[in-house]
Amino acid sequence: MNPSASSDPLARWRLAETAGREVVDEVTGRRDRIHSAVPEPAAADGRDPLRRPGPALDLDGYSTWITRPAAHVPHTECLTVDVWFAPAADGAAGLVSRLSGEPVRGYHLGLLDDGRPVFRVAVADGVREAASSRPLRHGVWNHCAGTYDAATGEGRLYVDGVLASTAHGAPTPLLAPDADLRIGRGPGHGAGEFCADAACGLLGPVTLYGDALAPSEVAALQRKPPSAAPDMRVPARRFADDPHRPGYHFMPPRHWMNEPHAPLHHQGLHHIFYQHNPRGPYWSRITWGHAVSKDLVTWRHLPTALTPATVPVAPQGIWSGSATTGPDGTPALFFTAGDDRRTPNQCVGLARPADTDDVDLTRWVTRPAPVVELDTTLRAGDGDRQGPVLAGEFRDPFVWREDGSWFMLVGSGVEGVGGTCLLYESGDLEQWSLVGPFTVGDVSLHPETGVMWELPVLLPLGTDERGRTRHVFLVSPWWPEPGPHSLTYAWYWIGTWDAASRTWTPDNPVPRHFDYGAHFTGPTGTVDAAGRALLWSIAQDRRSDADHHRSGWAHNAGLPLQLSLGDDGDLRIAPVAELSSLREPRLLDLRDVSAAEAGAVLASCVRGDMLEIALEAELPDSARLQLAVRRSPDGHEATSVTYDAARGAFGVDRSRTGGTCPEVADVREGPLALKEGLLSLRVFVDRSMVEAYANERRSITTRTYPARPDALGLALTADSEVRVRRLTVWPLRPADAEQQPTATATAASDAS
């Protein structure tokens, strides 16, 4: 025991405040500031989105912590740090940390990369560390305490009142560090705008003692949790004032998302997985997020399916992949395993459900070794176009079952030639043999297709007039350095896949893209129980790290699409029919009027930021039509979907989009020929998302970030000879009422 101290606390933060950016130390009365990117509360009841019942403080994993300056931190030669914490994610983080200097001095109670708690004390002869053998449990209260006794030189770590680990050394006092005390983050290292060692989860009471408490005293503290169970849901008020966060497009409750992948339909539920950093809106240590839906529209978020902490083959991240079913119908996930211990650092892993009776498939067990690894001596190409396969680029397995076998495409590239996909075959999902390159691109002839192909997808489209089964093959191009085509388009070919001969024959070697908006990338797909070919994408938001830091989210999925084969042999694309369930009563329904009449009614009657617009119009050969959304009353801000019949061009004019993201202020377009001059247009507006589909042949996926809150109007302008067969506007409700604020949509009473 330390004779200069007692078991009375030196400082205690109960975190019982219900609002505000300060917490009170109940021992000294001092008020300490909470750092956070979360905006100040705007709700009428004054509730701060940082606060949770418990009491608890929501640590977002990248921007939220408490700091007390070093001059106001009491120092004793012995110490006990006592914390309640409910983790929401794994990863190295600090819970209570005060380390500084060379040599290092101070103490740190926190988490290791795999979620195991650790207690460190830095004394004269070095750092002593006590680490638990088990990670903390997610979503429940965990009690952690670290003690240091100068008389024995012993550091102890307790988890839930039980001694978990001990660090031994010579008796020596704890030396006074000159660092600030940080609650909710570690000594500090960044990832650009973001703090990479901030804790993610709910923080309960924190107490410091000037002595090493006895085991019985620690056990007594453990018997007083903040509440029966922490509420880990992200409150809707967190994003209530965000004018840009989509309401009915799929996205995580918060933080970073890139590609959705591995869609599957099992026991009546649609499952989607996605690249997710649960610790902040930035790319790092990627996990597989997971959600389920009965209708592809309203999604229920589930616990993270795969994390680096629990997947031995992927300590650096679980990257994109796909889903299939095994011989008994049990789902199986295939994923890119990131492992910097290996060369190359990418291989393919396999996961299966831990409990097949669980309809949500919430827990997964991974195979301890990869199922596919790249043969680094492999060469590919044909004729003079040959070279070694890029050893460091081997990812994004796409797996499907056909004629009693499973096939797998893995994205890669051929040095000096272009992108490729390698084709593998298996009879049991575990033993895979290389068939060879599925096909090889030509980067010299088509530089826009990249030196490597990511996210390959092969989906059946049905049969043509000759009875042939047609497939579409899609890829995302990749380059080692960003360029004009990076994260802009997904390319496709239509052709014949022959499973018997293991060959792919495109109808035309020239690549095409169907979305001209420059935000549709990362395709992934499946065939659902109804036999539909479904396609997903990631809608790049093109915002800066600073924007992501302030908002607390990054990116979202595009609308789920159904693919089919047109009578011209080309691709047909349409948002899934289930999206109509989001429609509220119509704001407008006009029939057989001139474009001028339709435009006048539309501009005067309809405003909204979550809408579906259906337009059928007849355009003479030289006519031009423009539909503006998110338009300010003076027209200074607007995003316009356009069609120019004279040039046969379908596009989007974002030159007046303005607002908070200059990267989206441009004009994009591509070719589209009309049949008999008829344009059938469906436009979906979802705050910062705009998606437009023309004649089910070409689409626009784009973003808009108006700076003006009154940029809610619509406008239709066209040449005088354009005739509107029908114009209908529906307000759309949020897909997840618990996570989203109410949409903005209004109409005059005589416009419905």
Side-chain angles (χ1 to χ4, degrees):
M1 300 291 287
N2 180 5
S4 62
S6 71
S7 294
D8 294 329
L10 298 172
R12 173 176 288 155
W13 297 267
R14 271 206 321 124
L15 308 179
E17 299 82 8
T18 58
R21 292 304 178 88
E22 292 182 325
V23 292
V24 177
D25 172 2
E26 295 182 346
V27 176
T28 66
R30 178 179 172 81
R31 307 182 74 86
D32 296 303
R33 180 71 175 168
I34 304 172
H35 303 266
S36 182
V38 175
E40 294 289 349
D45 61 8
R47 291 179 298 171
D48 193 311
L50 295 169
R51 308 293 179 168
R52 300 289 189 88
L57 183 66
D58 181 3
L59 303 181
D60 62 14
Y62 75 97
S63 80
T64 307
W65 60 86
I66 302 165
T67 298
R68 172 171 288 189
H72 299 283
V73 182
H75 174 71
T76 55
E77 296 179 355
C78 300
L79 179 74
T80 294
V81 183
D82 174 71
V83 178
W84 285 95
F85 185 58
D90 293 321
L95 298 176
V96 178
S97 187
R98 197 185 178 206
L99 291 175
S100 71
E102 285 293 340
V104 180
R105 295 181 177 185
Y107 50 88
H108 172 90
L109 178 63
L111 304 175
L112 298 173
D113 265 345
D114 57 6
R116 291 182 295 132
V118 61
F119 180 57
R120 299 187 181 107
V121 289
V123 292
D125 60 358
V127 178
R128 298 174 189 176
E129 177 176 297
S132 174
S133 61
R134 297 181 179 180
L136 296 184
R137 297 168 297 157
H138 283 203
V140 300
W141 286 118
N142 298 263
H143 181 258
C144 297
T147 68
Y148 180 71
D149 190 341
T152 64
E154 186 175 77
R156 291 187 168 195
L157 172 68
Y158 296 85
V159 179
D160 292 332
V162 177
L163 181 64
S165 182
T166 304
H168 299 281
T172 183
L174 185 66
L175 301 178
D178 58 7
D180 295 343
L181 176 71
R182 289 172 168 175
I183 301 174
R185 71 169 286 185
H189 64 284
E193 294 274 345
F194 308 93
C195 173
D197 65 351
C200 185
L202 298 189
L203 181 71
V206 177
T207 310
L208 300 181
Y209 298 86
D211 204 354
L213 297 186
S216 59
E217 294 174 296
V218 173
L221 295 174
Q222 188 270 337
R223 291 192 287 270
K224 301 175 183 178
S227 61
D231 184 357
M232 306 298 290
R233 295 173 298 176
V234 178
R237 66 183 186 276
R238 169 63 181 89
F239 300 105
D241 299 318
D242 190 332
H244 303 312
R245 181 176 169 89
Y248 57 82
H249 282 74
F250 175 80
M251 61 192 310
R254 63 178 176 181
H255 294 348
W256 174 272
M257 171 185 178
N258 49 297
E259 294 93 10
H261 47 64
L264 66 93
H265 191 266
H266 181 68
Q267 294 187 15
L269 286 179
H270 297 276
H271 293 250
I272 193 71
F273 302 84
Y274 56 94
Q275 301 286 276
H276 182 44
N277 178 10
R279 296 184 58 190
Y282 64 99
W283 193 96
S284 178
R285 200 171 164 80
I286 292 298
T287 70
W288 272 31
H290 184 195
V292 294
S293 173
K294 294 181 179 180
D295 58 6
L296 292 171
V297 176
T298 302
W299 294 87
R300 177 164 50 91
H301 293 281
L302 298 174
T304 301
L306 302 174
T307 73
T310 58
V311 179
V313 296
Q316 268 64 58
I318 300 97
W319 304 328
S320 286
S322 64
T324 188
T325 56
D328 60 353
T330 300
L333 304 181
F334 289 84
F335 56 90
T336 307
D339 186 353
D340 289 343
R341 301 168 303 183
R342 308 168 60 90
T343 302
N345 71 342
Q346 299 163 31
C347 56
V348 177
L350 168 63
R352 291 188 170 96
D355 179 4
T356 56
D357 293 328
D358 174 16
V359 69
D360 284 343
L361 304 175
T362 53
R363 295 186 301 114
W364 295 82
V365 177
T366 58
R367 192 173 184 268
V371 292
V372 177
E373 300 175 75
L374 176 64
D375 177 358
T376 57
T377 67
L378 185 63
R379 295 178 62 85
D382 54 74
D384 295 334
R385 297 174 57 252
Q386 292 197 18
V389 172
L390 297 176
E393 315 300 339
F394 181 74
R395 53 186 174 270
D396 309 333
F398 179 78
V399 181
W400 74 100
R401 188 179 188 181
E402 188 171 356
D403 295 340
S405 295
W406 285 269
F407 296 94
M408 176 191 296
L409 297 178
V410 184
S412 189
V414 181
E415 187 175 320
V417 178
T420 191
C421 292
L422 301 177
L423 176 64
Y424 295 82
E425 183 179 2
S426 175
D428 62 2
L429 295 181
E430 296 203 7
Q431 304 298 319
W432 292 85
S433 58
L434 175 66
V435 177
F438 181 77
T439 187
V440 179
D442 189 337
V443 72
S444 61
L445 189 60
H446 301 290
E448 68 276 13
T449 60
V451 301
M452 181 262 175
W453 288 344
E454 294 186 311
L455 301 152
V457 179
L458 183 70
L459 294 173
L461 298 176
T463 57
D464 63 12
E465 72 284 353
R466 296 163 55 186
R468 300 177 303 171
T469 299
R470 317 299 284 144
H471 284 74
V472 60
F473 171 58
L474 303 101
V475 299
S476 277
W478 179 88
W479 297 261
E481 299 294 336
H485 304 293
S486 300
L487 298 176
T488 301
Y489 300 119
W491 298 95
Y492 79 91
W493 295 260
I494 290 178
T496 302
W497 155 248
D498 188 333
S501 62
R502 280 61 172 157
T503 57
W504 161 252
T505 307
D507 294 344
N508 190 323
V510 177
R512 289 178 284 181
H513 62 284
F514 60 78
D515 193 289
Y516 300 148
H519 291 260
F520 180 104
T521 62
T524 190
T526 189
V527 177
D528 73 357
R532 298 181 298 177
L534 302 180
L535 190 72
W536 293 80
S537 68
I538 180 68
Q540 304 289 335
D541 67 26
R542 296 283 194 271
R543 296 187 301 167
S544 66
D545 284 351
D547 290 329
H548 294 152
H549 189 280
R550 284 191 296 269
S551 67
W553 61 274
H555 314 304
N556 53 267
L559 295 176
L561 306 178
Q562 181 177 348
L563 305 184
S564 58
L565 185 69
D567 55 11
D568 59 355
D570 199 2
L571 192 63
R572 293 293 183 268
I573 52 174
V576 295
E578 290 90 333
L579 288 165
S580 63
S581 66
L582 295 174
R583 293 172 178 170
E584 301 283 13
R586 287 178 300 205
L587 298 175
L588 183 68
D589 190 13
L590 299 176
R591 303 184 190 217
D592 195 23
V593 296
S594 69
E597 291 173 304
V601 175
L602 186 68
S604 64
C605 295
V606 180
R607 289 161 50 85
D609 60 1
M610 291 176 61
L611 302 170
E612 180 187 350
I613 306 152
L615 170 67
E616 293 184 15
E618 299 172 5
L619 280 76
D621 291 344
S622 61
R624 191 174 190 274
L625 177 147
Q626 178 173 279
L627 176 66
V629 299
R630 299 306 309 264
R631 184 182 186 273
S632 60
D634 59 5
H636 180 72
E637 289 197 10
T639 298
S640 299
V641 178
T642 64
Y643 185 76
D644 188 332
R647 297 187 299 114
F650 174 53
V652 59
D653 183 346
R654 306 184 296 187
S655 60
R656 290 182 294 148
T657 295
T660 61
C661 186
E663 282 199 34
V664 304
D666 63 4
V667 176
R668 301 272 179 169
E669 64 180 20
L672 174 65
L674 301 186
K675 186 175 182 180
E676 299 179 350
L678 182 63
L679 175 67
S680 178
L681 192 64
R682 292 181 70 190
V683 180
F684 292 84
V685 180
D686 191 5
R687 300 201 177 95
S688 65
M689 281 291 300
V690 178
E691 290 186 49
Y693 298 86
N695 293 17
E696 295 191 352
R697 296 186 61 193
R698 293 295 181 259
S699 63
I700 298 288
T701 300
T702 191
R703 311 295 299 225
T704 180
Y705 302 99
R708 294 176 51 165
D710 62 353
L712 298 168
L714 285 79
L716 176 66
T717 56
D719 294 337
S720 59
E721 60 269 31
V722 173
R723 193 75 182 169
V724 173
R725 289 187 175 183
R726 187 168 188 177
L727 175 60
T728 310
V729 182
W730 296 269
L732 300 185
R733 62 176 176 80
D736 185 346
E738 290 188 0
Q739 293 289 345
Q740 301 291 348
T742 303
T744 298
T746 60
S749 59
D750 61 351
S752 59

